[in-house]
Amino acid sequence: MKTGDRNYQSIWLDEDDPSIVRIIDQEKLPFYFETMALRSVDDVYFAIEEMKLRGAPLIGAAGAFGIYLATLEITSMTDIRDHLTNAARYLKSCRPTAVNLAWAINKVMGSLDFHKPAKTVSENALTAALMICETEKENCRQIGIHGLELIEKISREKEGAPVNILTHCNAGWLACIDYGTATAPIYFAHEKGIPVHVWVDETRPRNQGAKLTAWELREAGVPHTIIPDNTGGHLMQHKMVDIVIVGSDRTTRTGDVANKIGTYLKALAAFDNNIPFYAALPSSSIDFGISDGIKEIIVEERNPDEVTHVTGFSEGELRTVRICPEGSVAANYGFDITPARLVTGLITEKGICRATEKDIEEMFSDKFS
Ligand code: MRU
């Protein structure tokens, strides 16, 4: 997507040095726009762990590039299979909820022949990582095309009055290499001249909505309003939300949706107010091996400091301040599960389907066993 006068993806191979993978440092946005070089498996691990890069499809792409960077560490003494298997295990352990990480790493590993010379293994790993990026970009573009139909329909019903879309966290191009999942239909609608307005949940504790989604939408010129996380229900009761579109970090074969903590409450409020609630996701975010999201999806628990402290920009620098009594205990669950019964539909690269096992199987029959 365009920012300033340049087109960016949220991850790419350095144009001059193919041993470097570059990302946008999302921890610094919206205050500073800085790119960051990843040169090793450890660099990838810490960038994901410290949320310099985040969002399910992007974490997957970074994991794929991580295997490529691991191939650059191979020497004549290295057992290639052992080395890459260890790198894969290490990278997968970084964050547990988004299935894209393991999916992408497995895809790269599955494309390699460990008996080939190191140079060939490395070239093949790079090809696989770049292919994942291209495929995910195209998947997000398709999600945009399919999701646009929903917005167009509402716009027609409202006779051209702005379509009010509520979204949670950041499921935008920063999280997805390009376009975004939840945001792709919004960008396409805006480009087409359909009036839209986005309610942006701030998304405590890390504020990915207020910091990242708001930055993306502002860069693209899309009208938006940042709201405290608890505002959505009130807006829905007063018919100020036409549709909710969120992303997903892992969706079960039965349509349960794991996404950023707080998503479930938005789905409940939408259900109570008869407002359509959609999750937009590429098939790399579907875990075809599990059926019960609440029982089977591991919800990441993060450092409680993210709850007790807030980072923002003041007097020309980034500052972190405590916002609660010293000594109070905080809990920091990263994600929650929205049961399929609360999900109106899934917007995928293949089209829109209901969040049921039958519909998901019909759409992705090749992935079902
Ligand atoms: O903890 P994060 O910032 O990686 O969580 C991101 C989300 O929950 C997104 O909504 C999700 O990855 C959807 S993917 C575009």
Side-chain angles (χ1 to χ4, degrees):
M1 297 289 284
K2 216 160 180 208
T3 170
D5 52 7
R6 237 193 95 168
N7 247 317
Y8 277 93
Q9 295 185 176
S10 53
I11 193 165
W12 67 98
L13 193 70
D14 189 281
E15 294 87 0
D16 303 317
D17 183 346
S19 67
I20 294 177
V21 174
R22 288 205 167 270
I23 58 166
I24 295 166
D25 184 346
Q26 298 193 29
E27 243 203 326
K28 301 258 175 68
L29 283 172
F31 313 111
Y32 304 100
F33 183 89
E34 287 178 11
T35 69
M36 198 181 150
L38 307 178
R39 295 184 164 83
S40 65
V41 178
D42 273 336
D43 281 359
V44 173
Y45 184 96
F46 290 115
I48 297 175
E49 190 183 49
E50 289 164 18
M51 310 252 304
K52 303 234 164 244
L53 66 92
R54 29 69 49 208
L58 181 59
I59 294 174
F65 276 121
I67 298 298
Y68 161 62
L69 292 175
T71 65
L72 303 182
E73 296 163 1
I74 295 169
T75 67
S76 57
M77 305 296 286
T78 308
D79 179 320
I80 297 181
R81 180 192 295 275
D82 273 7
H83 174 67
L84 296 183
T85 305
N86 287 337
R89 194 180 309 118
Y90 175 57
L91 287 167
K92 281 185 204 172
S93 71
C94 195
R95 291 190 75 190
T97 304
V99 69
N100 306 62
L101 182 58
W103 171 85
I105 290 171
N106 290 344
K107 209 160 173 61
V108 177
M109 291 293 281
S111 74
L112 304 180
D113 180 346
F114 304 117
H115 302 294
K116 290 261 161 65
K119 188 165 176 297
T120 310
V121 174
S122 191
E123 283 166 2
N124 291 346
L126 179 57
T127 303
L130 292 172
M131 179 64 83
I132 284 172
C133 287
E134 287 310 306
T135 308
E136 290 296 60
K137 272 166 64 176
E138 178 55 19
N139 287 344
C140 286
R141 203 177 69 82
Q142 292 299 330
I143 287 169
I145 291 170
H146 298 304
L148 172 61
E149 289 171 22
L150 297 172
I151 297 176
E152 281 178 321
K153 182 166 174 284
I154 296 168
S155 176
R156 280 194 300 273
E157 285 162 7
K158 291 186 78 176
E159 296 176 351
V163 178
N164 288 302
I165 303 152
L166 185 140
T167 193
H168 192 68
C169 195
N170 173 260
W173 69 267
L174 288 168
C176 299
I177 305 141
D178 213 346
Y179 301 106
T181 51
T183 57
I186 299 171
Y187 289 134
F188 286 6
H190 179 67
E191 272 168 27
K192 227 179 148 180
I194 298 169
V196 290
H197 165 263
V198 185
W199 296 110
V200 179
D201 281 353
E202 62 174 345
T203 319
R204 280 281 291 149
R206 290 190 65 103
N207 292 318
Q208 291 96 323
K211 287 180 172 173
L212 303 176
T213 304
W215 178 80
E216 276 194 28
L217 295 174
R218 198 208 56 189
E219 290 292 297
V222 177
H224 62 280
T225 306
I226 300 167
I227 47 173
D229 290 325
N230 297 328
T231 309
H234 168 77
L235 296 176
M236 292 186 211
Q237 285 175 328
H238 289 273
K239 307 203 180 319
M240 293 161 82
V241 177
D242 297 304
I243 184 171
V244 180
I245 310 180
V246 298
S248 173
D249 292 83
R250 190 184 292 241
T251 289
T252 65
R253 59 190 279 147
T254 52
D256 294 342
V257 172
N259 193 49
K260 180 54 56 190
I261 193 82
T263 302
Y264 169 49
L265 293 178
K266 294 301 137 68
L268 278 174
F271 190 77
D272 193 42
N273 290 282
N274 209 17
I275 290 166
F277 178 99
Y278 283 89
L281 53 129
S283 53
S284 56
S285 298
I286 303 178
D287 188 337
F288 293 94
I290 62 170
S291 306
D292 186 329
I294 293 168
K295 287 200 183 121
E296 294 178 274
I297 296 177
I298 299 171
V299 169
E300 174 182 24
E301 288 184 53
R302 297 187 58 84
N303 192 329
D305 287 357
E306 293 180 349
V307 178
T308 56
H309 292 69
V310 167
T311 300
F313 192 73
S314 167
E315 294 172 13
E317 60 181 5
L318 281 179
R319 287 168 193 244
T320 300
V321 293
R322 182 160 48 82
I323 55 163
C324 57
E326 206 163 1
S328 285
V329 174
N332 190 7
Y333 296 95
F335 300 90
D336 60 24
I337 317 298
T338 300
R341 68 188 158 78
L342 300 177
V343 179
T344 311
L346 306 175
I347 311 170
T348 77
E349 71 268 24
K350 291 213 178 167
I352 299 174
C353 69
R354 285 182 309 155
T356 64
E357 185 159 17
K358 184 171 166 289
D359 281 34
I360 296 172
E361 180 167 12
E362 254 168 45
M363 196 155 268
F364 297 102
S365 51
D366 51 321
K367 307 263 176 47
F368 265 69
S369 51

